[in-house]
Amino acid sequence: MSFSESPSNIENSTQTDIRRGARERKPRQLLSSSDFYTYTGKTYERTRLNEDVTDPDTYEQALLDVDFDKWKSTMDEEMDSMYKNEIWKLVDPPTLIKLIKCKWIFTRKRNVEGKVEKFKARLVAKGFTQQYKIDYDEIFSSVARIQSIRALLALVAY
């Protein structure tokens, strides 16, 4: 060993060779919908969904969709349900308060063969835009007290 080589350099070079795994590394393979099988009674059949048609992400995309008439009727049903169940009431917006916006969520529900069974449209509030102590001050959540649970279990046991 010469003076230019230090023992630590020799040890480091052999340690990196030893620590390297002998396993052959392969790239990850992602599954596609053609890789799945459906059990249809006695045999397994390959199921391929209609991948050409995607669900709209916004109301504007739903307007341009080929199934707009179905989306429109589904949205009308959702709004009628909200009015009927008195989910909210329409009022004038207060001044100096930031309003919570809402968004339509569109989904095509499919059966086992991949055919569209029904169309779903949900109107959801974007509550994530609120900030604590700015848009609201108090947080409420329904939590059952342990005494209530014990009383209910005692009543059931009796």
Side-chain angles (χ1 to χ4, degrees):
M1 176 167 49
S2 66
F3 286 92
S4 62
E5 294 180 358
S6 66
S8 62
N9 288 345
I10 295 172
E11 289 173 6
N12 288 341
S13 65
T14 58
Q15 284 180 353
T16 55
D17 295 338
I18 294 171
R19 288 188 180 178
R20 180 173 285 253
R23 180 174 63 94
E24 180 183 336
R25 298 192 182 262
K26 297 177 184 175
R28 285 181 29 192
Q29 294 179 353
L30 300 177
L31 297 176
S32 66
S33 62
S34 61
D35 295 330
F36 294 99
Y37 292 90
T38 306
Y39 182 68
T40 58
K42 297 180 181 176
T43 60
Y44 286 94
E45 295 178 5
R46 186 173 286 255
T47 300
R48 183 152 186 112
L49 299 177
N50 186 2
E51 297 172 359
D52 299 339
V53 181
T54 59
D55 296 336
D57 291 328
T58 62
Y59 179 77
E60 289 77 21
Q61 289 178 1
L63 286 173
L64 302 174
D65 196 73
V66 293
D67 296 320
F68 174 71
D69 55 335
K70 294 174 182 154
W71 291 125
K72 177 73 171 135
S73 65
T74 306
M75 288 188 292
D76 290 340
E77 289 174 15
E78 176 75 5
M79 293 300 289
D80 290 341
S81 172
M82 286 186 178
Y83 283 127
K84 180 182 163 191
N85 294 323
E86 297 177 2
I87 301 294
W88 47 268
K89 61 182 179 179
L90 190 62
V91 296
D92 293 328
T95 57
L96 302 175
I97 291 184
K98 186 173 114 180
L99 299 176
I100 300 173
K101 296 183 179 183
C102 58
K103 178 182 179 178
W104 282 103
I105 306 293
F106 302 100
T107 309
R108 288 180 174 93
K109 295 295 182 178
R110 300 178 187 272
N111 60 11
V112 178
E113 290 86 29
K115 296 180 182 176
V116 177
E117 231 174 46
K118 76 179 201 177
F119 292 80
K120 278 187 113 171
R122 295 287 179 251
L123 186 64
V124 295
K126 294 182 178 180
F128 59 86
T129 59
Q130 292 181 310
Q131 294 179 358
Y132 182 63
K133 296 283 186 182
I134 296 173
D135 298 321
Y136 63 96
D137 292 327
E138 299 172 350
I139 299 174
F140 296 100
S141 64
S142 57
V143 177
R145 293 176 50 196
I146 191 67
Q147 292 86 358
S148 303
I149 294 172
R150 286 183 184 152
L152 183 62
L153 290 175
L155 182 65
V156 170
Y158 179 72

